[in-house]
Amino acid sequence: METSHPQGLFRLDNETLAFRYTATVSHRDGHALERLDEPIKLRQWLVVNDLDPGATPTPTELAQARELREAIYRLGAALAHDQQPALPDLDLLNSASAAGAPIPLLDANGMHWSLDSANRLGAALAVIARDAIHVLGTSTRGRIKTCEGSECAGLFLDTSRAAARRWCSMNTCGNKNKKNRMRANN
């Protein structure tokens, strides 16, 4: 499969797989930039995250995958802002989690996923959905935040000791904010 360096197409700096998936849309506070604008890009994102579905999704499958992504984002944003999650989003997430049969395996190089051969895409999305359920449904849920970076609003898990982290990534949004402050003070 030709990937044409997909790592450059996607932000891969979020520690949480489900939130890294939601980052395939950026500039959520401004003019949203959709990075999964064609089926091959969904496959490329899955490949660089070790979830190769084995084939390029159909346009319908891409639309369903983006629906899951947006449900995860809305659920995370609701929790970040102390709001109740929407029941349709919970239903969609739980349904995606039940699809396929991903199996975690351990080898000498670490953990990887074995995806159900009958529904590899469903199994790949189930891995993402299960990661979202773990983050959104356990004690970590109180540490979910949205990035304060200009035009970002990406989700992240604040693991700082003081729970005072403001940006999804210091290397991107944090540095941009610091540069903008420095320019404003000059």
Side-chain angles (χ1 to χ4, degrees), residues 60-75:
T60 299
E61 291 170 328
L62 172 62
Q64 292 167 342
R66 291 187 340 195
E67 287 175 19
L68 171 62
R69 178 197 60 204
E70 293 308 301
I72 294 169
Y73 183 81
R74 287 187 299 268
L75 290 166

Side-chain angles (χ1 to χ4, degrees), residues 7 12 23 30 33 35-36 40-41 43 72 88 91 94-95 109-110 120-121 157 164 166 185:
Q7 291 90 340
L12 301 173
L33 173 62
R35 288 190 171 84
L36 301 181
I40 187 66
K41 290 185 182 172
R43 181 169 185 203
I72 294 169
D91 290 343
N94 289 326
S95 293
N109 297 318
R120 289 179 58 91
L121 178 62
L157 188 59
R166 299 174 53 197
N185 291 333

